[in-house]
Amino acid sequence: MAATFRRRLQRGAASTAVAALVLAALTASQAPGATGAAAAKRRPAPPPADVPIDGGSAYYTDLPPLKSPVPPHGSPHTSKGPATGRGPAEAGLPATVLAAYKKAASAIDASDPGCRLPWQLLAGIGKVESGQARGGAVDAEGTTLRPILGPQLNGHGFARITDTDAGRYDGDLTHDRAVGPMQFIPSTWSNGGPDGGGWGADGNGDGKKDPHNVFDAALAAGRYLCSGDRDLTAQDDLDRAILGYNHSEEYLRTVLSWYAFYRNGTHEVPDGKGVLPVHRDAGRSGDDSAGRSEGERHHGRGPGAKPGKSPRPGGSDKPGKPGKGQQHHPGKPGRPDGTRPTPGGTEPPTQKPTPEPAHPTTLVRVGDKDLTTTAGTEFATPPQVRAQDAQGKAVAGVPVRFTLPPTTDARFPGDATTATVTTDKDGLATAPTLRAGDRTGNFRIRAGTVRHTAPAVEVGATVKPKPAPKADKLARTSDKELTATAGKAFAEDAVEIKATYRGESAAGVAVTATMVTNDPKRPVENDKGPYFKDPEAPGDAEDKPVRTLTGLTTDANGLLKLPKIYTDAHSGTFLLRLTTADGAVLTVKLKVAAPAGS
């Protein structure tokens, strides 16, 4: 029969009691009247414990072609099959989606090897949940080009789950909808995970957990399937994991069929070229449960299909008449290989294999020297890596993400801490211009593939301090004699100097000012005569004489005005000595006259 887009809760006397119990359990956990604006204001609550991952939402019931290696509910673990190969169009998985499944399985194998999660299981679930993200309609980062939304879970033919995310993921302020390539309900994505923070995951390393991203969604689905110390090579654990995703025996059989089919062999196809499932709108609740365009909803075909055409040879929209390549009931006559002859003895056309693109097995950094620059300047050479296959040949078209660690304030353009670029024809991925901040020291730049599981590499970088400004000469900007009366102060800004280096203004030069004794051989700090005040001294201490000032710095033009200079009761000629770290010295005479009549 033609494939349909089924609801989990079916009509009929046998299912009515089950539906009532499930709906009662779901609706009892929701606060009455928590819809609209009220739902947006309240804090999202975790879903009931018995709510499946996809909320019991709709799913595709298309079955694999007749070449499925094992019966639908048989143990698929007896067929190991090659990881890649050739076969019918349904065996073609979109490149980015396939990469997401493999990357998720690899990550979970490293963190939870006892689970033994095969990526083909993720592919089976992705097939029935979203048609492999609508045939691979995703961008280079793995995010769907348009949101994939399940039907509104409003209790009309589906479970009833009032809004838990204020529309953040599904855009619905009244009820939840399953979202993304793996169809998580928002409450499950954000809450109830093993760490209390939800099942949401960051599968592509961009620092975000997005259910609309196939890398994030695949890793989250894998984490859920492996929860509870499951070993997915055990049939009971496998069944429980799938039923926890959507508690339906038909759903279980459908996923296992695709799982077994994919284990028998798959091949990669370009994004957007995957086979879309066929379905009918009849009997649906009117929601865009697959997030398709108008034409896709009414005809079940992918973008660009002509009106009235099925999405693949032999496809059919008529109920009760399966198209070519659709799996049939057991017992029908056929050949030993499981295929059936077509009427009239004609053979269906053989699909030409799609050349499989090379996959990078390694990333290699270009250059053996670490990158170096000074604070506040750009690195002369940007980070660069090369993608290559097992034979050492360059692999073009590989998205590579460069990531900066939190220990540095260096940034890519736009103040970004990550940058994704695609390898060129020579397999080279060159990061955008990298600019150092004020923080000095060493750090490592990580470069990893977005779509593939090639090991990441690191490029070392060092930010050195800016060289201290130099000055080889200090001079007053005025030759006016500096005089004051004992007990009084010199004029405001009486002393202004200019620092130069090789005849040019020296900005940012540190200068030390010291009142010194009149000893040409060994001048030392004076204990009488002119002095400064310390403006930062607390209370009465601010009037205490200070005869050495440090931390004075010339401005952008190399100029420096000294703070106000005061005098005590002593009169005479005193010396102010100005010095720099580079040895520039200037001595200024300060004349203090005795008070009149003394």
Side-chain angles (χ1 to χ4, degrees):
M1 62 178 179
T4 59
F5 204 61
R6 292 287 181 90
R7 291 192 288 261
R8 173 177 169 246
L9 302 180
Q10 310 251 349
R11 294 185 180 89
S15 61
T16 301
V18 175
L21 289 173
V22 173
L23 291 176
L26 296 177
T27 56
S29 67
Q30 307 295 329
T35 58
K41 293 179 182 179
R42 65 177 171 80
R43 184 175 181 180
D50 58 349
V51 175
I53 285 291
D54 69 358
S57 189
Y59 62 89
Y60 288 111
T61 60
D62 296 51
L63 296 175
L66 292 171
K67 291 184 179 181
S68 182
V70 296
H73 198 53
S75 175
H77 299 288
T78 57
S79 174
K80 294 300 179 184
T84 58
R86 302 296 177 196
E90 291 85 348
L93 293 173
T96 301
V97 178
L98 176 59
Y101 296 150
K102 290 184 176 181
K103 193 166 189 175
S106 176
I108 291 174
D109 183 60
S111 61
D112 186 9
C115 176
R116 298 177 175 85
L117 170 69
W119 65 262
Q120 292 92 338
L121 177 58
L122 295 173
I125 291 175
K127 178 69 174 181
V128 302
E129 292 289 353
S130 68
Q132 310 298 14
R134 288 198 210 102
V138 297
D139 62 18
E141 298 289 322
T143 302
T144 57
L145 302 180
R146 290 181 292 115
I148 300 176
L149 304 177
Q152 190 180 63
L153 300 175
N154 56 14
H156 300 298
F158 299 99
R160 181 177 184 271
I161 305 179
T162 54
D163 178 55
T164 64
D165 67 332
R168 175 185 178 186
Y169 296 120
D170 57 13
D172 196 323
L173 294 176
T174 59
H175 294 83
D176 272 351
R177 296 170 181 255
V179 298
M182 303 303 278
Q183 291 289 278
F184 276 79
I185 54 175
S187 54
T188 304
W189 183 265
S190 300
N191 301 287
D195 56 0
W199 291 103
D202 177 14
N204 63 354
D206 63 356
K208 297 182 291 185
K209 298 179 181 180
D210 182 6
H212 297 285
N213 182 279
V214 68
F215 288 94
D216 294 358
L219 181 58
R223 287 174 57 201
Y224 169 76
L225 293 169
C226 287
S227 63
D229 295 325
R230 292 189 181 112
D231 176 357
L232 297 182
T233 60
Q235 188 68 48
D236 287 347
D237 279 358
L238 177 65
D239 290 354
R240 277 193 292 269
I242 298 173
L243 288 172
Y245 215 104
N246 189 315
H247 197 75
S248 161
E249 287 292 331
E250 183 177 0
Y251 179 89
L252 173 64
R253 289 193 294 270
T254 306
V255 170
L256 287 175
S257 292
W258 283 107
Y259 172 35
F261 175 75
Y262 289 137
R263 286 179 69 89
N264 194 46
T266 61
H267 59 274
E268 182 181 291
V269 298
D271 289 343
K273 300 298 184 180
V275 174
L276 291 174
V278 179
H279 73 278
R280 285 173 52 85
D281 275 344
R284 299 235 328 258
S285 61
D287 292 295
D288 182 13
S289 60
R292 288 173 168 71
S293 65
E294 189 67 20
E296 290 173 295
R297 289 199 300 271
H298 288 290
H299 301 289
R301 51 179 188 269
K306 296 181 180 180
K309 298 291 185 181
S310 296
R312 61 176 182 261
S316 174
D317 289 331
K318 297 180 181 180
K321 294 182 179 180
K324 291 183 180 71
Q326 192 69 19
Q327 189 171 13
H328 297 268
H329 294 288
K332 299 290 184 181
R335 297 191 182 93
D337 63 358
T339 61
R340 297 181 64 196
T342 56
T346 59
E347 294 293 333
T350 302
Q351 182 185 7
K352 293 182 179 180
T354 302
E356 187 169 345
H359 292 277
T361 56
T362 57
L363 288 179
V364 181
R365 59 173 291 181
V366 176
D368 56 357
K369 293 183 179 179
D370 288 351
L371 310 179
T372 303
T373 193
T374 56
T377 63
E378 294 179 352
F379 285 88
T381 304
Q384 189 179 57
V385 296
R386 181 175 185 266
Q388 59 188 39
D389 60 18
Q391 285 71 44
K393 296 181 179 179
V395 181
V398 178
V400 176
R401 176 180 290 113
F402 293 90
T403 304
L404 301 174
T407 56
T408 181
D409 57 356
R411 292 294 184 267
F412 293 115
D415 201 34
T417 57
T418 63
T420 301
V421 296
T422 303
T423 57
D424 60 17
K425 61 182 179 61
D426 298 316
L428 296 176
T430 305
T433 301
L434 179 62
R435 185 177 185 85
D438 295 328
R439 193 178 302 174
T440 60
N442 302 323
F443 63 94
R444 310 290 292 178
I445 305 164
R446 185 179 185 275
T449 58
V450 174
R451 297 182 180 176
H452 306 285
T453 56
V457 297
E458 292 185 339
V459 178
T462 301
V463 178
K464 297 181 178 179
K466 293 180 181 179
K470 295 182 179 181
D472 55 12
K473 184 179 180 180
L474 296 175
R476 285 186 62 198
T477 58
S478 171
D479 56 2
K480 184 178 179 181
E481 189 177 59
L482 300 172
T483 62
T485 301
K488 304 294 183 180
F490 286 84
E492 199 81 34
D493 300 330
V495 181
E496 182 182 62
I497 64 171
K498 183 178 179 70
T500 57
Y501 181 71
R502 296 180 179 177
E504 300 292 332
S505 298
V509 175
V511 178
T512 299
T514 306
M515 302 294 179
V516 296
T517 59
N518 191 7
D519 184 349
K521 293 184 178 180
R522 189 181 178 190
V524 295
E525 183 180 279
N526 211 336
D527 59 355
K528 60 185 177 182
Y531 63 91
F532 303 103
K533 287 184 178 181
D534 185 357
E536 298 182 358
D540 296 337
E542 68 179 11
D543 292 329
K544 182 179 179 181
V546 174
R547 290 189 167 87
T548 298
L549 283 182
T550 59
L552 303 173
T553 307
T554 59
D555 64 14
N557 297 313
L559 298 174
L560 169 64
K561 290 182 179 181
L562 267 63
K564 191 173 183 177
I565 300 175
Y566 300 87
T567 66
D568 57 15
H570 296 86
S571 59
T573 299
F574 299 89
L575 300 181
L576 168 62
R577 191 167 185 257
L578 303 164
T579 60
T580 68
D582 300 304
V585 179
L586 173 64
T587 301
V588 178
K589 289 183 179 181
L590 303 174
K591 292 184 178 182
V592 181
S598 63

